[in-house]
Amino acid sequence: MTEEIIIAGFGGQGVLSMGKIMAYSGVMQDMEVSWMPSYGPEMRGGTANVIVIISSERISSPIIRNFDTAIILNQQSLDKFEGSVKSGGILIYDGNGITRHPERKDITIYRVDAAEEAGRMSSPKTFNMIVLGGFLKIKPIIKMENVIKGLKKSLPERYHNLIPVNEKALERGMEIIRKV
Amino acid sequence: MEKELRLMKGNEAIAEAAIRAGADGYFGYPITPQSEILEYLMEANPSRTTGMVVLQAESEIAAINMVYGGAACGKKVMTSSSSPGISLKQEGITYIAGAELPCLIVNVVRGGPGLGTIQPAQSDYFQATKGGGHGDYHLIVLAPASVQEMADFVDLSFELAFKYRNPVMILSDGAIGQMMEKVWLAPQKERSKTYPEWATTGKPPERERNIITSLDLDPYAQEQFNKKLVAKYNEIREKEVRYEEFQCDDAEYLFVAYGTSARVCQKSVQLARAQGIKAGLLRPITLFPYPSVRIGSLAEKVRIILSVEMSAGQMVEDVMLSVNGKVPVFHFGRMGGIVTTPDEVVDYLKSKIIGG
């Protein structure tokens, strides 16, 4: 099993940390993982993206051009990466701020309106966990218990009181994701 | 003690491995994409645990000269930087090589020349392997291709540096520095309580003074010293070559690549083989000494060799020397901070070499 994922959005949306939690969850499940960020000026605003690979085998290239799954959180990233999803792959996006929706017919498209939901839950920072929950519903490659372990590993201990809120956000994401 | 499993960036792995290897001192100056090494060490503050000194110097030049001083005292010391900063350190590096002192220098390479870009590149190969400073000298150069190797090569570097009294460079790049992977960390080693017999630690009555210098005004004596260095480099060439092969046994098309490019090419081998093209990969782990003999013997059985590196073509010259005209040798790679993708390598092989 190898899952090649790109997560892309605005800097500050929690793109890199979502990738990190995903990668740590993979480690907790005894998988091989790699987390390759775009780094540099993007970090100071603009777009950010990270390639996460989770595999049962040794990972060859951490840098790839085509993905099994694209998780897209803004319009620029949708324009940039819609074409990079492998035929038969999946694209998950948040509709917030999207004016041109994905159009490809050879991939499966899902929508998870996490920004709106996070607002409704009055916890905007759990936005990325709602998205991650949606992804795990579609691709249950990591068990929930390992995701919680991954969260514990990647959050500093002083934030461990927030784990139940994040867990709830993951569950909510699983509920609200829908096929387009 | 057992090894510990973590998910870390390559830069962080180097920093943690330095503490665990029992290093005595780190002297650095921040520059992207390697600043996490200094940041991690500052936060870990090993002066409270192992007693390791971590110091942000006022410049790269100051940092390398602190390394020179620490190494002269027989201490396990290191520095790190990225391309423009490594250029600044070159004077210190040639002095350290000339004084035959052990140390570790980490270069997390970014695109050049000049300030270039902050994205990954492999365009410092000549500088690292052919002597970036003046005079006839070599560094031992290790090229990690994973976060695990970033950690493992720190201890290995110190071991080789002290064995040969020679500076060692870890030649990495921005991609491996910034990437996170699983890493098994070695248990904590104790810092050494003894000094090598050549170290300048003060003169006790029972021996002559130890002198550390790279200066000899007598040309005959200097030539003898140069011959001694040549003999040392030859011994290193004989004993310390390291490389890894990936599906080379039946390969007709051989990629040679190190570091990030080797990871990319490993996928290219899989993609090519899925299309019926028998590709293989030789990954040099040491860039000095270079695995010339092995590449030379593989050249007897393959059709062509493609050197893949993120540069205008530097390592390809060592591949050509190793192959010595037996088969055609080509170069492919992106520059300017763009990482070559696995498909691009296969496309180049198919369109320019097999079909060309």
Side-chain angles (χ1 to χ4, degrees):
Chain A
M1 193 292 291
T2 298
E3 179 75 12
E4 298 173 330
I5 306 155
I6 185 148
I7 311 169
F10 286 120
Q13 270 181 319
V15 166
L16 299 187
S17 55
M18 191 200 319
K20 188 175 170 185
I21 291 162
M22 218 184 241
Y24 242 130
S25 310
V27 172
M28 293 299 121
Q29 198 155 307
D30 210 14
M31 313 274 268
E32 298 301 319
V33 300
S34 73
W35 176 95
M36 182 74 230
S38 61
Y39 68 90
E42 301 97 320
M43 282 171 67
R44 287 101 187 168
T47 61
N49 68 70
V50 59
I51 300 171
V52 177
I53 305 178
I54 300 174
S55 178
S56 48
E57 289 153 42
R58 175 175 156 177
I59 294 165
S60 54
S61 178
I63 292 151
I64 44 179
R65 198 197 269 162
N66 299 302
F67 308 97
D68 300 307
T69 300
I71 299 174
I72 302 293
L73 305 174
N74 67 4
Q75 185 69 58
Q76 288 98 314
S77 303
L78 181 60
D79 296 343
K80 192 168 173 189
F81 294 112
E82 184 180 356
S84 308
V85 181
K86 292 177 195 170
S87 191
I90 69 169
L91 186 152
I92 297 172
Y93 79 108
D94 185 321
N96 184 38
I98 298 291
T99 49
R100 188 200 64 79
H101 291 261
E103 288 153 358
R104 276 180 62 183
K105 299 282 175 247
D106 61 330
I107 59 175
T108 315
I109 297 167
Y110 295 89
R111 185 165 162 171
V112 56
D113 286 340
E116 198 182 291
E117 192 60 29
R120 205 172 291 145
M121 290 169 73
S122 324
S123 52
K125 281 188 175 168
T126 60
F127 161 76
N128 59 354
M129 289 301 97
I130 298 175
V131 178
L132 180 58
F135 166 75
L136 289 169
K137 166 85 180 184
I138 308 304
K139 286 263 172 106
I141 52 173
I142 308 161
K143 288 187 198 140
M144 191 48 87
E145 59 186 86
N146 289 324
V147 177
I148 302 302
K149 280 188 202 164
L151 255 172
K152 280 185 184 152
K153 276 277 191 179
S154 44
L155 283 178
E157 231 161 81
R158 62 182 183 277
Y159 294 130
H160 279 194
N161 59 325
L162 297 175
I163 285 175
V165 182
N166 282 285
E167 203 172 344
K168 219 175 116 197
L170 285 163
E171 282 164 10
R172 194 69 194 122
M174 290 183 165
E175 287 161 15
I176 64 167
I177 192 161
R178 60 185 172 89
K179 198 168 162 183
V180 176
Chain B
M1 273 220 347
E2 277 194 19
K3 288 193 167 189
E4 186 188 338
L5 177 64
R6 293 233 208 126
L7 180 73
M8 292 180 116
K9 285 190 171 192
N11 288 335
E12 296 167 340
I14 284 201
E16 179 61 32
I19 300 171
R20 289 175 183 242
D24 296 303
Y26 169 93
F27 308 92
Y29 189 80
I31 181 172
T32 305
Q34 64 82 54
S35 295
E36 291 88 354
I37 300 177
L38 178 57
E39 288 166 3
Y40 186 99
L41 285 169
M42 283 288 178
E43 197 176 345
N45 193 5
S47 66
R48 287 182 316 182
T49 49
T50 69
M52 176 186 179
V53 172
V54 179
L55 195 145
Q56 177 174 336
E58 67 269 35
S59 70
E60 285 86 350
I61 296 167
I64 192 68
N65 283 294
M66 289 172 185
V67 167
Y68 188 7
C73 300
K75 295 289 187 182
K76 233 185 215 187
V77 288
M78 66 181 288
T79 186
S80 69
S81 192
S82 178
S83 309
I86 295 289
S87 290
L88 285 166
K89 290 181 197 284
Q90 288 303 333
E91 182 194 49
I93 294 173
T94 175
Y95 277 56
I96 291 168
E100 289 203 273
L101 292 175
C103 70
L104 167 60
I105 303 145
V106 179
N107 184 359
V108 183
V109 180
R110 61 191 242 181
L115 277 177
T117 173
I118 60 173
Q119 309 296 336
Q122 296 181 311
S123 40
D124 297 356
Y125 179 90
F126 283 150
Q127 187 196 49
T129 61
K130 310 296 175 190
H134 61 276
D136 269 327
Y137 77 91
H138 282 288
L139 306 175
I140 297 170
V141 184
L142 298 170
S146 62
V147 174
Q148 183 68 56
E149 285 188 342
M150 290 285 256
D152 293 346
F153 287 1
V154 171
D155 195 42
L156 174 63
S157 294
F158 281 126
E159 189 190 311
L160 293 171
F162 276 83
K163 182 173 173 189
Y164 293 101
R165 282 187 65 179
N166 205 73
V168 175
M169 176 173 276
I170 292 181
L171 188 70
S172 177
D173 65 65
I176 296 177
Q178 295 295 326
M179 164 171 82
M180 281 203 282
E181 286 186 312
K182 257 164 56 168
V183 54
W184 288 96
L185 294 163
Q188 179 68 49
K189 268 193 191 177
E190 266 198 65
R191 283 172 56 227
S192 173
K193 292 191 178 69
T194 58
Y195 296 91
E197 78 281 359
W198 48 260
T200 48
T201 53
K203 184 194 171 301
E206 66 274 9
R207 65 158 166 81
E208 282 300 301
R209 287 186 302 162
N210 282 338
I211 299 173
I212 302 285
T213 181
S214 67
L215 173 72
D216 204 324
L217 292 175
D218 174 1
Y220 295 98
Q222 180 65 26
E223 190 186 36
Q224 287 311 308
F225 174 69
N226 288 130
K227 284 182 175 167
K228 183 185 161 204
L229 284 185
V230 170
K232 174 166 84 174
Y233 301 143
N234 284 338
E235 187 189 346
I236 292 169
R237 284 187 178 102
E238 203 176 298
K239 294 182 181 165
E240 303 299 344
V241 172
R242 289 168 168 80
Y243 58 86
E244 185 187 19
E245 291 182 22
F246 186 71
Q247 307 213 3
C248 284
D249 289 346
D250 63 341
E252 293 175 3
Y253 301 92
L254 180 68
F255 302 133
V256 179
Y258 70 93
T260 294
S261 291
R263 293 288 293 272
V264 169
C265 284
Q266 209 178 308
K267 180 114 185 173
S268 305
V269 168
Q270 294 164 351
L271 293 174
R273 284 192 176 252
Q275 298 173 41
I277 301 166
K278 284 186 179 168
L281 166 68
L282 183 132
R283 172 172 82 92
I285 294 171
T286 50
L287 300 178
F288 182 87
Y290 198 71
S292 306
V293 175
R294 183 58 189 152
I295 293 175
S297 67
L298 282 171
E300 310 271 357
K301 22 184 249 185
V302 300
R303 290 192 193 180
I304 63 99
I305 296 181
L306 178 60
S307 174
V308 180
E309 42 177 332
M310 296 186 284
S311 77
Q314 299 190 13
M315 184 185 71
V316 65
E317 293 190 5
D318 281 335
V319 177
M320 283 174 170
L321 284 171
S322 312
V323 169
N324 201 13
K326 283 177 210 155
V327 288
V329 174
F330 301 85
H331 159 75
F332 177 70
R334 300 291 299 268
M335 290 176 283
I338 309 282
V339 179
T340 316
T341 63
D343 320 67
E344 281 175 335
V345 176
V346 177
D347 289 348
Y348 183 86
L349 176 68
K350 279 164 63 183
S351 63
K352 295 286 189 318
I353 301 175
I354 299 177

